[in-house]
Amino acid sequence: LIPVPVLVAEPQSITMVVKTLVCAFSELRVYPGHGKQFVRRDGQALVFLNSKCLSLYKQKKKPGQLTWTQAWRRLNKKGKTITVTRRRNRKTTKFVRAVTGATKAEIDARRRAPPS
């Protein structure tokens, strides 16, 4: 018998993808098997994280008024640590450019001369 080399594939890390929905009130993630679905009269289905969110929605509460919602955090600029810093402008430097047909010495002499 002839030995045959066997290639063994190294185990790759497999990441599991879970489809999550976004709560219509708190904007938090709703994982499969959780949350409540509410269908409005116009036929639009809204997904809520829990009965608390559904109850507050039915009471017509504003999510921006409640500190634990993402809407409040967005309105009050919370959570974003990346801040854009303004660029500093460098001071402009003066360049003395030669005028065609005149040297720098001639230009300086004309500047120092009294106005005629």
Side-chain angles (χ1 to χ4, degrees), residues 11-65:
Q12 296 177 345
S13 61
I14 300 169
T15 55
M16 188 173 150
V17 179
V18 178
K19 187 179 178 188
T20 58
L21 301 169
V22 178
C23 176
F25 188 81
S26 66
E27 298 175 34
L28 296 170
R29 284 195 204 132
V30 181
Y31 288 91
H34 295 266
K36 287 192 172 193
Q37 196 169 32
F38 176 74
V39 181
R40 291 197 310 205
R41 284 185 187 164
D42 62 356
Q44 186 177 5
L46 302 172
V47 179
F48 293 97
L49 179 65
N50 49 25
S51 57
K52 173 183 177 180
C53 294
L54 177 61
S55 174
L56 289 167
Y57 174 80
K58 285 180 177 177
Q59 293 174 49
K60 298 188 177 181
K61 300 289 182 190
K62 294 179 184 173
Q65 303 280 319

Side-chain angles (χ1 to χ4, degrees), residues 22-112:
V22 178
C23 176
F25 188 81
S26 66
E27 298 175 34
L28 296 170
R29 284 195 204 132
V30 181
Y31 288 91
H34 295 266
K36 287 192 172 193
Q37 196 169 32
F38 176 74
V39 181
R40 291 197 310 205
R41 284 185 187 164
D42 62 356
Q44 186 177 5
L46 302 172
V47 179
F48 293 97
L49 179 65
N50 49 25
S51 57
K52 173 183 177 180
C53 294
L54 177 61
S55 174
L56 289 167
Y57 174 80
K58 285 180 177 177
Q59 293 174 49
K60 298 188 177 181
K61 300 289 182 190
K62 294 179 184 173
Q65 303 280 319
L66 301 165
T67 57
W68 55 272
T69 61
Q70 292 299 313
W72 183 89
R73 294 185 68 78
R74 192 170 44 258
L75 286 169
N76 291 281
K77 297 177 176 71
K78 304 289 180 190
K80 298 226 175 178
T81 55
I82 302 167
T83 56
V84 179
T85 55
R86 297 175 85 192
R87 289 185 182 177
R88 287 188 178 179
N89 290 344
R90 292 191 178 121
K91 281 191 174 181
T92 54
T93 55
K94 286 190 178 181
F95 289 99
V96 179
R97 291 187 177 91
V99 180
T100 52
T103 62
K104 184 179 182 311
E106 290 174 1
I107 294 169
D108 288 340
R110 285 186 188 171
R111 278 191 187 157
R112 280 189 231 112

Side-chain angles (χ1 to χ4, degrees), residues 2-15:
I2 302 168
V4 180
V6 179
L7 296 173
V8 179
E10 292 192 26
Q12 296 177 345
S13 61
I14 300 169
T15 55

